[in-house]
Amino acid sequence: MSGSSKDRSPRNGREKSRKTIFEIGDPEGTCQQVLSPEIPEDLLATLLGDTVRSEPAALPAVTELDLMRHYTALASMNFGVDSGMYPLGSCTMKYNPRINEDACRLPGFAGVHPYQPANTVQGVLELMWNLQCALAEISGLPAVTLQPAAGAHGEHTALMCIRAFHTDNGDPRKRVLIPDTAHGTNPATVSMCGYETTTIPSDAAGGVDMSALSRALDYDVAAVMLTNPNTLGLFDTNIARITEAVHAFGALAYCDGANLNAIMGISRPGDMGFDAMHINLHKTFSTPHGGGGPGAGPVCVSDTLAPYLPGPVVVNDEGHFRGESPSRSIGRVRSFWGNVGVLVRAYTYIRALGGDGLLEASQQAVLSANYLKEHLRCLYALPYDRTCMHEFVLSASEQKRTSGVRALDIAKRLLDYGIHPPTIYFPLLVEEALMIEPTETESLASLDDFISVMTDIAEESTSSPETLKSAPYTTFVRRVDEARAAREPDLRWSMCAQNEKDS
């Protein structure tokens, strides 16, 4: 491991880099040239009325060099996959090849206007058609909409289709079943769609408790929402029995596809008996997504649900591509065609890797996760001792019991070593959970670095627990009051607030 935390010193000028762009520079500085309009002021007043500006805009007083240094400094404060390892369990954060960025910026894609007639945008529509076909093949579900803008949006879209299907059959139903290993957005989606949530516990092996599922199933159940592999990083070996049992009661099976990175090219949710799933293009394929997007959450469904998909979907009419709404569509869920730039990135990724490459990516992700698990299991508790998929969950329960060091302390200490923390305290059924996903894009040397750091931290938890409890030491922001940061976020700067502060 290079760059031990003990060797690091604060970065020069970091206090300055925390200032907003309005707080740097000087009143005489500028990199802007505002030209006076060649329009008489009385005519401007006539045209714009009360919206005419009476005083100059409060623009930052900075030179171009100030501007560049400011944003470069801000970028250096951020941590991303380009900065170091990002083993964030349950949210695949892997390197995105730059060629995908080049592709989505090609003028033929970036310059398209959503109101252009279909016959002038045949190229982008053909790409979207091909992407629909690729996602149908990968998922094993024949019908696809590209509209949803994110994973949770895809969940909502799929569940709306399921609700429309049951309503059409005169049997609207009331409940949706969700395992306790589900992603946190699943229960929220269920509530937004007007259903009640019934939680199904896990069995000792980390899969769905089949007895509990049997007791919960009845003719009021609209669907079961499953993440497979689940948030423990475990593949449910009873999946065929589960979907068969659900279908026996007339309910449908929905797959949260956020963990597709573990199985693409290996197994298909449609073949497991699922009726619908969403795919997080920004996780499984391409597009950086830390910090809020943009993303894309296409939904793939069976023939049964195809008539209910939101429109437009792209259809291929003998080589001419156009948009069309399915016969019983739930309506639009996103303006125009969705986040087309993300779709272009994902398609580029799929074409660049091909079928064999997608298979290899999944196999490598699974191999990387199991490699870490086997090296770390002697240092941290392993609640579910099974071969994992693309991620696994350790527990810091022993560290908490012997020295008071918690999962939060370990996560904060990782920052000192230039590694982003894993997800902690999720899933909830694991005490002091550390949920780790290395992804397929980290090298063996990078994985070994991570093992070395986790080994050092485990040793520190015994020899110097107070060091961990005060970490991090080398970041721009030291440990914050977590509760206050969540309840009293101070994220906005305004001229009014600054004037009040100055006075």
Side-chain angles (χ1 to χ4, degrees), residues 219-254:
Y219 290 98
D220 270 342
V221 174
V224 60
M225 295 183 79
L226 272 171
T227 307
N228 194 31
N230 63 23
T231 54
L232 291 168
L234 303 174
F235 190 90
D236 200 315
T237 56
N238 289 319
I239 188 61
R241 290 176 58 201
I242 292 171
T243 54
E244 183 179 351
V246 170
H247 289 153
F249 282 90
L252 299 179
Y254 171 79

Side-chain angles (χ1 to χ4, degrees), residues 264-282:
M264 60 180 176
I266 301 174
S267 60
R268 308 193 306 174
D271 297 337
M272 301 175 201
F274 283 106
D275 302 282
M277 72 175 297
H278 81 266
I279 298 175
N280 290 26
L281 296 187
H282 49 283

Side-chain angles (χ1 to χ4, degrees), residues 317-329:
D317 190 2
E318 297 183 347
H320 181 77
F321 301 94
R322 58 183 173 80
E324 182 178 280
S325 287
S327 58
R328 305 193 66 78
S329 173

Side-chain angles (χ1 to χ4, degrees), residues 395-472:
S395 170
S397 56
E398 184 62 16
Q399 283 78 10
K400 178 184 176 184
R401 186 184 67 79
T402 57
S403 60
V405 169
R406 304 187 62 190
L408 175 67
D409 304 319
I410 294 169
K412 296 295 185 186
R413 188 59 170 152
L414 277 168
L415 290 167
D416 285 332
Y417 289 90
I419 296 174
H420 194 280
T423 299
I424 56 175
Y425 301 112
F426 184 80
L428 300 177
L429 66 165
V430 175
E431 179 188 7
E432 298 294 327
L434 293 156
M435 188 184 197
I436 298 167
E437 180 182 357
T439 79
E440 77 281 8
T441 56
E442 295 294 339
S443 67
L444 179 59
S446 179
L447 299 180
D448 285 338
D449 275 347
F450 182 72
I451 292 168
S452 174
V453 169
M454 289 293 283
T455 302
D456 287 349
I457 291 175
E459 190 277 329
E460 280 184 324
S461 72
T462 302
S463 63
S464 181
E466 294 307 316
T467 300
L468 270 63
K469 294 176 184 176
S470 299

Side-chain angles (χ1 to χ4, degrees), residues 116-134:
Q116 280 185 236
N119 61 1
T120 68
V121 290
Q122 285 294 290
V124 69
L125 290 178
E126 182 177 2
L127 180 146
M128 294 169 69
W129 160 260
N130 287 331
L131 179 59
Q132 288 178 185
C133 294

